[in-house]
């Protein structure tokens, strides 16, 4: 891990925060990320079965995740303004409250309408959290070290998934939903705890955003990020399909999802080093191929060995794709605070849009053709994206660090 005391870390005079302040802020970001994503994965894997038990069916279960992602998407464009107005500490604390409080009401929710309403509130909190984690972390370190920093941040997110997703499936199969919701609320409390790693109020040197902004300027800034964002949307569509519907189609799903998450953690750490060494573009294409193959393997719902092998491929590819696309988006945006903020928002919108697309479109596809139609088609679409010129070549040249 790169910390301010590492020899590879930038000298303290190169960054405004103090050594202690940077260490505390980075630690707080990691604690908040672990808690937020552990609770997210716990409910992502448990709520579909809870919705099906309530009579919603596979399409209703997918719609529940889609609602979560829709409100996550809705709040993300406003997060830079929120961070400036409230400051980092308060913004993170608000996200933790929005994630945790609905969990306390979930035991009393038995209809799809009530579940969707609570999912919408949780989506607001998750939208704030995911942008805050990426933006606050990358602001602490210079570009030459961001691959490894993002890798460590992603590894913490992956560990949260390793614990959360299989546990959610196991508890759902025991119908221990009250315990599931209590654990998710406790995980959200870690987000509030992590927020205390950041100083109170609005950070020095940041000015409130203007009330209006020219759309043309925004789209011009986004255009260089088009390639990485297209890949990000496609990869997280596969993520939404695998993590929403594999628990409904395969008895070996808990082991497969645990394997995928563990593989993703290792890939984020190794991928971060490779990105800093060789550049994100060289890492991206093979990572996409691995993700596509692992997604297609989900069709082997009655072959545990093949399913687990596919999970290893999926996790390795998906973890590397996440680090590579984020680094490439940051490079395309430039090194200004506004550029990093825009890249963080755009990347997270791409992540959540893809997850929502996968969970919403996957239900009808599963009902129409079963696991082969769902997983093989999703993997084929992801692999076909390598043929799109914009996805193969990010618009701004990338330097080797």
């Amino acid at each position: 891990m790169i910390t301010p005391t590492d020899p590879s870390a930038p000298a303290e005079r190169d960054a405004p925060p103090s050594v202690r302040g940077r260490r505390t802020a980075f630690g707080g970001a990691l604690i908040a990320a672990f808690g937020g994503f552990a609770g997210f994965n716990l409910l992502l894997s448990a709520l579909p079965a809870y919705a099906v038990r309530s009579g919603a069916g596979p399409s209703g279960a997918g719609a529940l995740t889609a609602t979560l992602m829709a409100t996550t998407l809705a709040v993300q464009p406003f997060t830079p303004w929120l961070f400036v107005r409230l400051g980092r500490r308060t913004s993170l604390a608000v996200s933790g409250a929005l994630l945790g409080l609905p969990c306390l009401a979930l035991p009393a929710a038995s209809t799809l309408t009530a579940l969707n309403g609570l999912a919408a509130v949780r989506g607001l909190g998750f939208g704030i959290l995911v942008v805050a984690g990426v933006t606050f972390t990358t602001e602490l370190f210079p570009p030459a070290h961001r691959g490894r920093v993002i890798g460590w941040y992603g590894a913490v997110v992956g560990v949260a998934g390793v614990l959360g997703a299989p546990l959610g499936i196991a508890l759902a199969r025991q119908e221990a939903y009250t315990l599931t919701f209590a654990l998710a609320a406790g995980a959200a409390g870690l987000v509030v705890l992590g927020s205390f790693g950041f100083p109170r109020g609005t950070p020095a040197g940041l000015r409130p955003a203007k009330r209006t902004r020219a759309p043309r300027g925004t789209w011009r800034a986004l255009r260089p990020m088009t390639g990485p964002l297209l890949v990000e949307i496609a990869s997280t569509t596969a993520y939404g399909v695998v993590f929403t519907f594999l628990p409904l189609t395969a008895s070996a799903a808990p082991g497969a999802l645990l394997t995928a998450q563990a593989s993703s953690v290792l890939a984020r750490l190794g991928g971060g080093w490779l990105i800093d060494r060789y550049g994100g573009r060289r890492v991206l294409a093979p990572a996409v191929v691995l993700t596509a193959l692992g997604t297609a393997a989900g069709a082997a719902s009655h072959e545990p060995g093949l399913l687990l092998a596919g999970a290893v491929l999926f996790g390795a590819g998906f973890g590397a794709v996440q680090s590579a696309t984020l680094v490439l988006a940051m490079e395309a945006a430039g090194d200004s605070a506004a550029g990093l903020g825009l890249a963080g928002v755009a990347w997270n919108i791409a992540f959540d849009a893809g997850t929502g697309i996968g969970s919403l479109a996957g239900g009808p596809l599963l009902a129409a053709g079963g696991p082969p139609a769902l997983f093989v088609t999703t993997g084929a679409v992801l692999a076909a994206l390598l043929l799109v010129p914009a996805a193969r070549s990010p618009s701004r040249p990338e330097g080797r660090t």
Side-chain angles (χ1 to χ4, degrees), residues 298-386:
S301 56
H302 300 295
E303 298 289 341
L306 185 57
L307 195 66
L308 290 176
V312 172
L313 296 180
F314 179 86
F318 184 76
V321 166
Q322 301 314 293
S323 294
T325 53
L326 181 55
V327 168
L328 287 171
M330 293 287 182
E331 289 176 352
D335 201 36
S336 67
L340 293 177
L342 179 62
V345 170
W347 185 86
N348 278 289
I349 287 176
F351 185 107
D352 298 327
T355 304
I357 290 169
S359 60
L360 186 61
L365 193 57
L366 177 63
L374 175 61
F375 295 107
V376 174
T377 300
T378 304
V381 170
L382 176 58
L385 191 64
L386 291 174

Side-chain angles (χ1 to χ4, degrees), residues 17-37:
S18 66
V19 171
R20 183 177 180 181
R22 182 188 297 174
R23 182 187 299 118
T24 303
F26 190 48
L30 296 183
I31 291 171
F34 177 81
F37 280 89

Side-chain angles (χ1 to χ4, degrees), residues 179-318:
L179 176 59
T180 302
F181 303 148
L183 289 174
L190 292 178
V191 179
V192 179
L193 178 64
S195 70
F196 287 93
F198 291 89
R200 188 186 303 274
T202 302
L206 291 182
R207 298 189 183 94
K210 295 181 179 180
R211 297 178 65 90
T212 59
R213 183 173 182 175
R216 178 180 299 179
T218 301
W219 287 114
R220 185 182 300 116
L222 286 171
R223 193 175 299 122
M225 309 177 205
T226 301
L229 296 180
L230 281 175
V231 177
E232 179 64 9
I233 290 173
S235 68
T236 52
T237 297
Y239 173 84
V241 165
V242 169
F243 278 80
T244 300
F245 297 105
L246 195 64
L248 304 179
T249 61
S251 60
L257 295 185
L258 177 62
T259 300
Q261 293 282 17
S263 178
S264 176
V265 170
L266 297 177
R268 287 182 187 249
L269 292 174
W273 181 85
L274 290 173
I275 289 165
D276 282 344
R277 182 70 175 85
Y278 300 106
R281 194 178 308 174
R282 296 184 181 180
V283 173
L284 190 57
V288 169
V289 171
L290 291 178
T291 308
L293 291 173
T295 303
S301 56
H302 300 295
E303 298 289 341
L306 185 57
L307 195 66
L308 290 176
V312 172
L313 296 180
F314 179 86
F318 184 76

Side-chain angles (χ1 to χ4, degrees), residues 116 128 139 157 180 272 339 355 361 392:
N116 274 320
I128 298 171
E139 285 176 348
V157 170
T180 302
T355 304
R392 292 201 312 266

